[in-house]
Amino acid sequence: KECDWSSDVCSSDLLGPREWALGDYSIADIHLFRLFWRFKGSFNPSRAEYPNLFAHHDRMMARPAVKKTIEAEAAAGYDLPA
């Protein structure tokens, strides 16, 4: 299937059931996480509509470094998406 990489639907489809975007955890996962976090906060998509991206988001949110970064950004007054 050919996709336009700017399409959120294609990102979800291409991620599929893989745990990480490129097989192993990489910078691509950090980028995908930030993009989906903003998309999720702005458009409030349903979990059923984007199950793979939500699963990836959940895995990222469980990472200690992500938790630590979110806490530091919140403490600094950064306006975090919901």
Side-chain angles (χ1 to χ4, degrees):
K1 174 180 175 183
E2 189 172 324
C3 286
D4 170 0
W5 279 97
S6 65
S7 168
D8 52 84
V9 175
C10 288
S11 295
S12 186
D13 291 345
L14 290 172
L15 181 60
R18 287 191 308 270
E19 187 172 6
W20 303 115
L22 300 177
D24 294 326
Y25 178 76
S26 71
I27 190 73
D29 295 294
I30 296 167
H31 182 65
L32 179 59
F33 171 69
R34 294 298 291 201
L35 287 174
F36 185 65
W37 188 3
R38 297 259 179 220
F39 173 80
K40 182 174 144 302
S42 297
F43 298 103
N44 197 26
S46 73
R47 220 171 238 282
E49 199 173 2
Y50 301 98
N52 299 328
L53 289 173
F54 271 98
H56 182 270
H57 180 269
D58 294 344
R59 284 189 292 277
M60 290 296 293
M61 291 296 287
R63 294 183 63 83
V66 172
K67 290 178 184 178
K68 186 176 180 180
T69 300
I70 289 170
E71 289 171 7
E73 288 177 348
Y78 184 70
D79 186 22
L80 301 171

